[in-house]
């Protein structure tokens, strides 16, 4: 005889959450093909991180303010053959993140047909409040894997700037070997290719 | 002065997932990806509740159970119904590829994939996929109103029969579950009518 069990227990009916295993990963080429075919549009709040389409968080006013302040400081100091991008894509092997700021080599026209890659970048910056966890784990991992030499987290939660340097590259556990934190009374060195371009007061970047 | 913290101690492991909100895709966009050749028929992937999920490779006992049950269902299925194996079915938010499905009409009639209204039964054969089949797949089939869902549970050696789907509820699920052990016979129902009985022993590998 068959065993009759009552109604299916509630363990079955949790609300949909992304599966914890076996998510399909898209290549950067797949991602570009989706945009060319109009399957993903420029306005879609999404970025490709390690093969996954990850939703971008909306930004609160403090985030926008700090991004703007940091952008101005970097632009004021950047030498002639470097420029600053804001929330524009960069392309790595497995990802196409859109960092809050990136310091890019050369003339902007150089990037008419492709986004800047790791070899074109001196610095990427994420301004973090609600995204702090993502910026310290997934983003840090993919920037380190891509060998982006310097990564700043403008940490609005704790009011400091975290500077990550010396990336491992495509290691089993990619990471930055050095982290240095700068508080509101400190000045962060702005370094391009190992040369200090200038110093920026942390106070000037925080809201 | 700044604090030197030395090596990053919280070095995250790969690939940790997914505390991040993963983008959900509509069935239409999924179809566009296939039409554009971004996903191909050979890619082991299915759309589950808007997420692209990898299909697990199937081991021999799994394949054997599918083959056995397919033959039995085909023998019993009345005229006007056919059995498909590992072909997509389309719901409002998903395009799963159940191990077996009993479908109304003739396979030639379908220019699109069958939908819930075309299905008498879907079957998943489960070993490594048991959790996914009991949670995600059950929720998808219940939400879509697929009337009967079987899990051929190779781990516990039983067939789980889920009936009375809630439909697009807040927490979709089947209201009834009945388990059949190796000594039992599972009734094969189409549109509420019993077509035959299948000995669980004949299905399990």
């Amino acid at each position: 005889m068959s065993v009759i069990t009552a109604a299916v227990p509630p363990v079955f009916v949790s609300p949909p959450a992304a599966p914890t295993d076996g998510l399909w990963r898209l290549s950067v080429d797949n991602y570009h093909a989706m945009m060319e075919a109009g399957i993903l549009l420029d306005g879609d709040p999404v970025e490709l991180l390690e093969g996954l389409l990850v939703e971008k968080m909306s930004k609160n006013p403090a985030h926008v303010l700090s991004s703007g302040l940091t952008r101005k400081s970097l632009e004021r100091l950047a030498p002639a053959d470097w420029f600053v991008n804001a929330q524009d894509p960069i392309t790595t092997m497995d990802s196409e993140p859109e960092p809050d700021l990136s310091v890019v080599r050369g003339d902007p026209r150089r990037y008419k047909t492709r986004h800047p890659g790791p070899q074109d970048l001196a610095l990427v910056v994420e301004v973090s409040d609600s995204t702090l966890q993502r910026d310290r784990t997934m983003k840090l991992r993919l920037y380190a894997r891509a060998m982006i030499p310097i990564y700043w987290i403008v940490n609005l939660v704790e009011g400091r700037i975290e500077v990550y340097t010396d990336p491992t590259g495509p290691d089993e556990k990619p990471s930055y070997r050095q982290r240095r934190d700068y508080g509101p009374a400190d000045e962060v060195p702005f370094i391009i290719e190992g040369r200090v371009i200038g110093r920026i007061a942390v106070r000037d970047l925080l809201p | 002065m700044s604090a030197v913290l030395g090596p990053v101690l919280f070095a995250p492991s790969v690939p940790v997932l997914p505390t991040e909100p993963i983008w959900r895709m509509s069935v239409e966009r999924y179809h566009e990806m296939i039409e554009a050749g971004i996903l191909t028929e050979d890619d082991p992937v299915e759309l589950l509740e808007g997420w692209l999920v990898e299909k697990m490779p199937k081991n021999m006992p799994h394949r054997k159970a599918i083959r056995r049950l397919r033959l039995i269902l085909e023998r019993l299925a009345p005229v006007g119904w056919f059995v498909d194996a590992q072909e997509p079915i389309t719901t409002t938010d998903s395009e799963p590829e159940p191990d077996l499905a009993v479908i109304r009409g003739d396979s030639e009639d379908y220019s699109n994939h069958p939908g819930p209204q075309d299905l008498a039964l879907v079957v998943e054969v489960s070993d490594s996929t048991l959790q996914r089949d009991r949670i995600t797949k059950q929720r998808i089939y219940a939400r879509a109103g697929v009337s009967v869902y079987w899990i051929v549970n190779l781990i516990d050696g039983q067939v789980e029969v889920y009936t009375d789907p809630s439909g697009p509820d807040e927490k979709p699920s089947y209201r009834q579950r009945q388990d059949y052990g190796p000594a039992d016979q599972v009734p094969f129902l189409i549109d509420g009518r019993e077509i035959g009985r299948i000995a669980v022993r004949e299905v399990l590998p």
Side-chain angles (χ1 to χ4, degrees), chain A residues 125-140:
Chain A
V125 182
E126 298 285 2
V127 177
S128 301
D129 35 34
S130 57
T131 60
L132 186 56
Q133 265 315 96
R134 179 192 296 185
D135 294 336
R136 277 183 175 167
T137 54
M138 202 175 198
K139 290 277 179 79
L140 182 144

Side-chain angles (χ1 to χ4, degrees), chain A residues 77 150 152 160-163 180-183 186-191 196 198-203 205, chain B residues 2:
Chain A
L77 292 172
I150 305 179
W152 289 7
R160 65 179 183 220
I161 295 181
E162 302 171 7
V163 175
R180 196 186 277 229
D181 289 359
Y182 296 81
D186 298 328
E187 293 189 322
V188 190
F190 173 24
I191 294 173
V196 178
R199 292 184 175 270
I200 302 173
V202 171
R203 186 174 292 114
L205 306 186
Chain B
S2 61

Side-chain angles (χ1 to χ4, degrees), chain B residues 118-159:
Chain B
D118 306 312
L119 300 167
L121 169 68
V122 298
V123 182
E124 298 286 0
V125 176
S126 302
D127 35 36
S128 57
T129 60
L130 185 57
Q131 274 310 93
R132 183 187 290 182
D133 293 337
R134 276 187 176 164
I135 299 173
T136 313
K137 292 280 179 80
Q138 196 225 160
R139 189 169 56 224
I140 289 169
Y141 297 141
R143 184 187 293 118
V146 173
S147 48
V148 186
Y149 171 42
W150 292 6
I151 295 178
V152 178
N153 177 339
L154 301 185
I155 295 172
D156 305 304
Q158 63 187 21
V159 176

Side-chain angles (χ1 to χ4, degrees), chain B residues 22-33:
Chain B
I22 307 297
W23 173 260
R24 298 173 79 171
M25 191 181 297
S26 66
V27 172
E28 288 71 28
R29 291 200 203 207
Y30 181 65
H31 288 169
E32 286 169 17
M33 285 181 79

